[in-house]
Amino acid sequence: MTPGRRSSTFTRLLRHGFTDPSDAERLLDGAELAAVRDDPVLLEALGATADPDLALHGLVRLLEAQPAPTARRELLDTLTAAKPLRDRLLGVLGASAALADHLARHAGDWQALVTYEPRDLHPGVEEFERGLAEATDPVSLRVAYRRCLLSIAARDVCGTIDVADTAAELADLATATLRAALSQARQAAPEDAAACRLAVIAMGKCGGHELNYVSDVDVIFVAEAADGADEDKALRSATRLAAHMMRICSETTVEGSIWPVDANLRPEGRNGPLVRTLSSHLAYYQRWAKTWEFQALLKARPVAGDAELGKAYADALGPLVWQAAERENFVADVQRMRRRVIENIPVAELDRQLKLGPGGLRDVEFAVQLLQLVHGRTDATLRSGTTLDALRALAAGGYVGREDAARLDEAYRFLRSMEHRIQLYRLRRTHLVPEEQADLRRLGRSLDLRTDPVTGLQREWKRHAGAVRRLHEKLFYRPLLDAVAQLAPGEARLSAEAARERMVALGYADPAAALRHLEALASGVTRKAAIQRTLLPVLLGWFADSADPDAGLLNFRKVSDALGKTPWYLRLLRDEGAAAENLARVLSAGRLAPDLLMRAPEAVALLGDGDRGGGLEPRERGQLEQEVLAAVRRAENAAQGVTAARGVRRRELFRTAAADIVGSYGTETSPAEADQGALVDRVGSAVSDLTAATLAGTLRAVAREGWGDTLPTRFAIIAMGRFGGNELGYGSDADVLFVHEPQDGVAEQEATAAANKVVSEMRRLLQLPSADPPLLIDAGLRPEGKTGPLVRTLKSYEAYYRRWSLVWESQALLRAEPVAGDADLGRRFIELIDPLRHPQAGLGEDAVREIRRLKARMESERLPRGADPKLHTKLGPGGLSDVEWTVQLLQLRYGAREPGLRTTRTRAALAAAREAGLLSAEDTAVLDEAWVLATRVRNAVMLVRGRAGDTFPTEPRELSAVGRYLGYGSGHAGDMLDAYRRTARRARTVVEHQFYGDGA
């Protein structure tokens, strides 16, 4: 060959899509292709394949495998003369290395592609059974299976059949194969075959008539005893037959395997018997089956074995499928299962997952199945096991919008085509998009993306996956809006009853009211209604993910009514990704946060990720105090100043609660906060800082109105209890002490009168009825308790503590911390009490016994009547009191010698005790976990009920909402209570040892 000719051929090969023209030239110049090397038709046909290099290699191997020159000549003549064969054979060779291997091993099987009768264009089970009829053992069954598969692949890659036809034919071929395998198993064990009637029920994609090239074939087995046979023996015979049938299909031979047969969808999964009687199946599904098992039954279809028994199975269990949507937590169960699938995908694979990843095939399938289960109860046209057929039926019935259905159909077909082509290459089970450029190029070309296959493939894949992501949840909710808004005359819509069914399935207790809210929000042609129609499908999904969807929707309507005409509100929800989801979570999580928001709806700006509201990050105490004091300065009088301070407090309480809810629930873009302690610390610090700033502002307002710039006495507020520990919850009172010191030249009587007036006015103004929540000041920890003076001078405190102080007062002072007023006076108060709370000599045995006695008395006397002690977060065994008193006993005994123990914070003191060797790491972890959990429960109760409580709610929805806040899904309240009891029990064991026993 001359260099010029070589150069010309090289260029032609490049132009026809070869990536290795030199190797292609070598193969074309070989003896096998000598007779046709100059045939332009052959080169053009090779260039039309997905991978011309692969097709040429496969063709040469096939020619080399021919048993004689005459056979090679026949193949070449047919190839050049018959365009249908040329397209089919080269198309397969260019798309599937695995089928090229098969043809090289079975050189005559190319003949199966030569001609097609009309009936061959769409073969069914009978045609495939004829194709497998000559197989007598597992090896020959594999060869016959591959020959049939070859014909499906040929028509697939040539475009004779579409992706839905391909999937249906693959399912029909699987049916024929299961029948052939069962026949071989029966022939191998005629006695077993005679003892039982065995039916094979296809599940999953095989049952749904939409199988992949390589996929597990999911099955369930049902058997009955043959006439006169013992049932137990019959079941053992059926089990042996079923297991043998599975091995025939699954085991690897010299011809490889066909596909795994998976029976794990059976009752009790792999832990249950492989074969059951029909009555056993029915009993299981009626009593024990979970929601996902009914969802799986949607695709159940008898395919092999005893046809009468298979039909009886379908007739008996079919009706149960359509009752699944009536189960409690139905939608939540399905959505939780979908989330679990995504969570279990390895991070490295998430962006390559065609099937399971966001915007993948499973999203479409789950959404369609969810709608089928809800509406198939009353509409038999929806009861198809095939995804695309069901999607068409849903659109025809008005259960989904026609445009949405058409876009999902297009996306699903493209993604399934990608999946088919990826699997066809090696005939391996995978749903991952390849990473190698050569594989991506072949994949793109197989989908007719020829100009720039790799870029085009990535673009189309992302486009269709994005469409699925946007539509799969809206598919469920958007028709509800169309049903109530009625904006498109002539479009098929949900009936009123179908809309009610869907709302009930979503967990709405009052579907009629919910539909009225939707109508109010979505009707009309205003910009507000248009934006809300766009948002509501997604919001409804988030509401349904909560314990109280009704409240979420009602609260959204209230906020929308208050702010709907405000331009920034609509922009916030439309344009800021986090705002809408954050709002949905907050509005449906309980009463406290929505109540705070309704009092000043403009606080919804805090939920965005922009600059308008400052986001959900808690603000520092200094910033809060600066804002509050500035507002007080602008006020005309004390009442206005305190109102402004309470307004800041309300807004910041909402910020804190919203951040807590979002952090506890998680969002689509960020998971729930894993560190429960961090959530507790964040709330405790934020609410404590806010309370301190509010008291500082209130003190300034009252003092300025009564005395101008200077009070006749220096005045300081000392935080106590959980306030001093920076551990306040949403419903906590502010425990404080008031200390004052007369200004120079002021009589003590005058100073004390002024101080008492300040305290009285502060308490009054902070509790006045208003739109803002009150702040209750509790001074019950002062010397002499409620019988003692409300305010004392520093000297009076000194005299009292020197002469009368009791051990419980030293314990209470462990958490004392100045928070407002005269900083120097506060510092001197702390210097006064430090020797009391951190005594140099520690505690004597009498003092230790007194603390234990007080604790025991408190446990027996203060627990509310009728309360379950094991679930009381404050006074119950292993609760807050147990942990805090244990920690405080260590602080009193060892605080003087261990600086780390001189902290007002419980968790910090626990960590310091561990560092000092006073507690083991294990005991510290147990106490910390119990304290954090009890605090979280108290916060949850306040968020859910809107009022403080130390025990779990008894009302089911409230209990479920507490569970959702703590990370438990719907229907798992019992698991939550068990976990609390377990955690508290472990903590009580440590307390018994450390507080009452040897450890103390």
Side-chain angles (χ1 to χ4, degrees):
M1 185 181 296
T2 65
R5 180 183 171 191
R6 178 178 176 81
S7 176
S8 174
T9 304
F10 190 91
T11 303
R12 285 168 56 213
L13 291 169
L14 279 175
R15 191 167 61 247
H16 279 92
F18 287 86
T19 58
D20 190 348
S22 299
D23 189 53
E25 275 191 287
R26 179 183 61 77
L27 293 174
L28 287 168
D29 286 341
E32 292 78 10
L33 291 172
V36 295
R37 68 164 59 98
D38 294 321
D39 189 334
V41 173
L42 175 63
L43 194 60
E44 186 173 331
L46 286 167
T49 65
D51 189 335
D53 300 87
L54 184 67
L56 180 56
H57 273 273
L59 178 59
V60 171
R61 290 178 63 204
L62 177 57
L63 290 166
E64 290 173 342
Q66 296 306 305
T70 54
R72 187 179 301 143
R73 183 75 254 170
E74 179 188 3
L75 171 56
L76 283 174
D77 288 347
T78 310
L79 189 68
T80 54
K83 184 179 189 305
L85 170 71
R86 187 166 60 244
D87 291 344
R88 289 192 287 266
L89 178 58
L90 295 181
V92 168
L93 292 174
S96 178
L99 288 177
D101 291 342
H102 172 84
L103 286 169
R105 289 196 307 273
H106 304 279
D109 278 5
W110 68 271
Q111 301 270 5
L113 303 178
V114 174
T115 58
Y116 282 120
E117 298 295 331
R119 69 184 181 187
D120 295 326
L121 293 177
H122 298 287
V125 176
E126 290 183 10
E127 287 78 14
F128 288 127
E129 283 189 294
R130 284 197 295 272
L132 303 176
E134 296 180 6
T136 57
D137 56 51
V139 174
S140 58
L141 182 60
R142 282 150 176 71
V143 175
Y145 174 84
R146 292 282 195 279
R147 189 182 303 119
C148 293
L149 190 67
L150 188 66
S151 69
I152 297 175
R155 285 175 291 109
D156 177 18
V157 298
C158 291
T160 306
I161 54 177
D162 67 9
V163 66
D165 293 331
T166 301
E169 289 187 19
L170 289 168
D172 285 342
L173 176 55
T175 297
T177 305
L178 290 171
R179 292 177 181 179
L182 182 58
S183 177
Q184 289 185 14
R186 291 170 66 90
Q187 289 171 17
E191 291 185 3
D192 284 341
C196 67
R197 299 165 58 206
L198 176 65
V200 183
I201 312 298
M203 304 288 285
K205 282 189 159 42
C206 184
H209 228 227
E210 51 188 15
L211 198 61
N212 298 325
Y213 275 102
V214 187
S215 175
D216 290 359
V217 171
D218 296 309
V219 298
I220 284 177
F221 297 104
V222 58
E224 297 291 346
D227 291 341
D230 176 77
E231 184 175 289
D232 289 341
K233 291 181 179 178
L235 282 177
R236 288 196 291 272
S237 294
T239 299
R240 287 191 291 269
L241 288 174
H244 191 189
M245 186 206 82
M246 294 172 69
R247 290 196 303 274
I248 289 171
C249 297
S250 305
E251 285 184 346
T252 301
T253 70
V254 293
E255 285 293 336
S257 66
I258 301 177
W259 18 245
V261 177
D262 189 342
N264 287 337
L265 291 178
R266 66 186 184 270
E268 298 181 77
R270 64 185 62 192
N271 296 319
L274 182 63
V275 181
R276 289 175 183 257
T277 63
L278 178 55
S279 61
S280 177
H281 276 286
L282 197 56
Y284 174 84
Y285 282 103
Q286 287 174 335
R287 187 171 184 184
W288 302 111
K290 297 180 174 63
T291 298
W292 71 263
E293 293 177 283
F294 291 104
Q295 187 179 358
L297 277 180
L298 200 154
K299 294 182 179 292
R301 178 172 63 95
V303 292
D306 190 294
E308 184 180 347
L309 179 58
K311 182 178 185 302
Y313 177 94
D315 291 344
L317 270 71
L320 300 182
V321 174
W322 308 110
Q323 297 168 17
E326 298 171 5
R327 294 164 63 91
E328 187 178 0
N329 303 316
F330 163 70
V331 171
D333 283 348
V334 175
Q335 291 173 331
R336 185 166 55 252
M337 183 165 61
R338 176 67 189 117
R339 282 195 300 271
R340 191 179 303 128
V341 168
I342 295 176
E343 289 166 1
N344 289 334
I345 300 173
V347 175
E349 295 182 0
L350 190 61
D351 292 336
R352 298 168 53 213
Q353 260 286 354
L354 268 179
K355 178 180 179 181
L356 304 178
L361 294 162
R362 189 60 63 88
D363 276 348
V364 182
E365 293 159 0
F366 263 58
V368 168
Q369 290 164 22
L370 195 58
L371 290 167
Q372 285 181 277
L373 291 169
V374 170
H375 299 295
R377 290 176 292 173
T378 55
D379 189 343
T381 66
L382 305 181
R383 298 178 184 180
S384 170
T386 307
T387 301
L388 291 178
D389 290 348
L391 185 57
R392 277 194 296 276
L394 287 165
Y399 301 101
V400 302
R402 291 184 184 274
E403 183 179 335
D404 288 348
R407 290 167 67 190
L408 272 183
D409 183 284
E410 179 190 9
Y412 188 75
R413 287 174 182 273
F414 182 84
L415 296 173
R416 283 300 299 271
S417 296
M418 281 184 69
E419 183 181 46
H420 278 185
R421 297 293 196 273
I422 291 168
Q423 293 183 351
L424 182 59
Y425 175 52
R426 292 286 187 194
L427 287 182
R428 289 177 182 164
R429 182 176 180 267
T430 180
H431 308 287
L432 294 178
V433 177
E435 296 179 294
E436 296 295 329
Q437 289 292 302
D439 294 328
L440 291 170
R441 182 176 184 274
R442 181 191 319 106
L443 181 57
R445 284 174 60 91
S446 75
L447 297 170
D448 292 326
L449 301 168
R450 297 301 177 98
T451 306
D452 187 352
V454 176
T455 303
L457 175 68
Q458 296 282 2
R459 181 181 62 248
E460 289 300 295
W461 173 31
K462 298 303 181 189
R463 179 172 73 85
H464 287 298
V468 171
R469 267 198 309 274
R470 288 191 301 274
L471 290 173
H472 92 276
E473 287 187 346
K474 294 182 182 180
L475 200 69
F476 196 86
Y477 306 109
R478 182 176 287 166
L480 289 168
L481 306 186
D482 293 339
V484 296
Q486 300 184 359
L487 292 176
E491 176 82 9
R493 285 195 186 86
L494 285 180
S495 66
E497 179 58 23
R500 191 198 70 80
E501 286 178 343
R502 198 172 294 193
M503 297 305 282
V504 170
L506 283 167
Y508 285 86
D510 188 349
L515 288 169
R516 287 197 300 273
H517 298 324
L518 283 183
E519 183 175 9
L521 289 161
S523 296
V525 294
T526 64
R527 177 171 173 270
K528 169 187 170 185
I531 291 176
Q532 289 179 163
R533 281 194 297 274
T534 301
L535 289 168
L536 275 166
V538 183
L539 289 170
L540 286 171
W542 289 323
F543 293 150
D545 191 36
S546 73
D548 195 349
D550 298 80
L553 182 56
L554 171 61
N555 288 332
F556 179 69
R557 181 179 176 184
K558 289 179 179 178
V559 172
S560 182
D561 287 347
L563 293 177
K565 295 180 180 179
T566 310
W568 64 260
Y569 167 69
L570 296 173
R571 281 198 305 272
L572 176 81
L573 295 186
R574 184 191 63 196
D575 299 337
E576 293 196 20
E581 184 175 5
N582 289 346
L583 179 61
R585 298 296 184 204
V586 166
L587 293 180
S588 56
R591 295 181 183 174
L592 178 65
D595 285 351
L596 292 169
L597 181 60
M598 297 311 167
R599 291 167 179 170
E602 65 276 4
V604 76
L606 300 173
L607 300 171
D609 46 19
D611 296 329
R612 179 180 177 85
L616 295 179
E617 283 297 313
R619 299 173 68 198
E620 299 289 335
R621 181 179 297 192
Q623 293 176 303
L624 292 169
E625 191 168 317
Q626 186 177 10
E627 180 184 2
V628 168
L629 292 176
V632 167
R633 280 196 300 272
R634 291 191 297 271
E636 294 181 2
N637 53 50
Q640 286 186 6
V642 175
T643 297
R646 290 176 66 180
V648 173
R649 178 171 177 265
R650 179 203 61 235
R651 183 197 69 210
E652 295 304 320
L653 274 176
F654 173 74
R655 188 198 305 268
T656 303
D660 190 18
I661 291 167
V662 171
S664 298
Y665 274 59
T667 66
E668 290 187 350
T669 56
S670 61
E673 171 65 63
D675 185 349
Q676 303 291 297
L679 287 170
V680 164
D681 291 344
R682 201 173 301 147
V683 171
S685 294
V687 178
S688 299
D689 287 347
L690 179 55
T691 301
T694 305
L695 291 177
T698 303
L699 174 59
R700 177 70 59 85
V702 170
R704 189 181 67 167
E705 178 161 285
W707 296 272
D709 292 335
T710 306
L711 270 170
T713 185
R714 299 179 184 89
F715 189 91
I717 301 174
I718 312 298
M720 300 289 285
R722 298 180 76 80
F723 184 17
N726 285 269
E727 297 160 356
L728 283 180
Y730 299 110
S732 301
D733 296 346
D735 289 318
V736 298
L737 299 178
F738 298 109
V739 57
H740 77 103
E741 184 178 64
Q743 298 280 6
D744 294 340
V746 177
E748 184 170 320
Q749 185 176 1
E750 179 187 349
T752 299
N756 276 295
K757 186 175 181 180
V758 166
V759 171
S760 174
E761 189 66 2
M762 285 181 66
R763 298 177 82 176
R764 183 184 73 82
L765 292 174
L766 286 171
Q767 295 178 47
L768 279 178
S770 78
D772 302 313
L775 174 57
L776 301 180
I777 297 176
D778 186 344
L781 293 175
R782 65 189 183 269
E784 301 178 77
K786 294 181 180 179
T787 61
L790 196 59
V791 185
R792 287 177 181 261
T793 65
L794 185 61
K795 287 183 178 180
S796 175
Y797 275 107
E798 181 181 7
Y800 175 86
Y801 287 137
R802 184 174 61 248
R803 187 171 182 184
W804 304 109
S805 177
L806 300 174
V807 68
W808 73 263
E809 291 174 303
S810 295
Q811 183 181 353
L813 290 171
L814 284 168
R815 308 181 88 180
E817 181 176 275
V819 290
D822 191 291
D824 180 66
L825 180 60
R827 177 186 57 76
R828 286 187 285 133
F829 180 85
I830 296 301
E831 289 175 352
L832 167 67
I833 66 171
D834 270 345
L836 288 171
R837 57 182 182 173
H838 304 133
Q840 286 295 323
L843 283 185
E845 286 304 314
D846 289 345
V848 171
R849 278 194 298 273
E850 176 65 10
I851 289 175
R852 290 172 177 166
R853 188 187 64 77
L854 288 170
K855 175 76 168 68
R857 192 178 75 185
M858 184 176 70
E859 289 178 11
S860 63
E861 294 179 0
R862 293 181 57 186
L863 196 69
R865 180 177 298 177
D868 181 351
K870 294 179 180 178
L871 292 175
H872 198 280
T873 60
K874 183 176 182 181
L875 301 176
L880 294 170
S881 174
D882 265 3
V883 178
E884 290 169 1
W885 280 61
T886 300
V887 172
Q888 290 161 13
L889 181 57
L890 292 172
Q891 289 180 288
L892 287 167
R893 299 185 75 177
Y894 305 108
R897 81 177 197 206
E898 298 293 343
L901 289 173
R902 299 174 209 157
T903 174
T904 62
R905 303 183 181 221
T906 302
R907 298 188 71 211
L910 266 174
R914 184 196 64 223
E915 289 295 320
L918 301 173
L919 284 176
S920 69
E922 182 180 355
D923 284 355
T924 303
V926 167
L927 293 177
D928 186 70
E929 180 186 11
W931 189 88
V932 166
L933 178 57
T935 304
R936 291 269 290 157
V937 171
R938 294 179 93 206
N939 285 344
V941 170
M942 184 66 187
L943 285 169
V944 169
R945 303 179 68 190
R947 61 182 187 273
D950 293 317
T951 59
F952 289 87
T954 55
E955 198 279 320
R957 279 215 169 189
E958 292 180 346
L959 186 63
S960 179
V962 170
R964 188 70 183 83
Y965 171 85
L966 294 176
Y968 293 87
S970 299
H972 290 274
D975 295 338
M976 170 183 66
L977 297 178
D978 288 345
Y980 180 84
R981 292 188 187 99
R982 213 165 34 244
T983 302
R985 189 166 57 246
R986 288 198 301 266
R988 180 63 180 194
T989 301
V990 175
V991 171
E992 294 281 358
H993 173 64
Q994 292 293 340
F995 186 81
Y996 291 111
D998 299 337

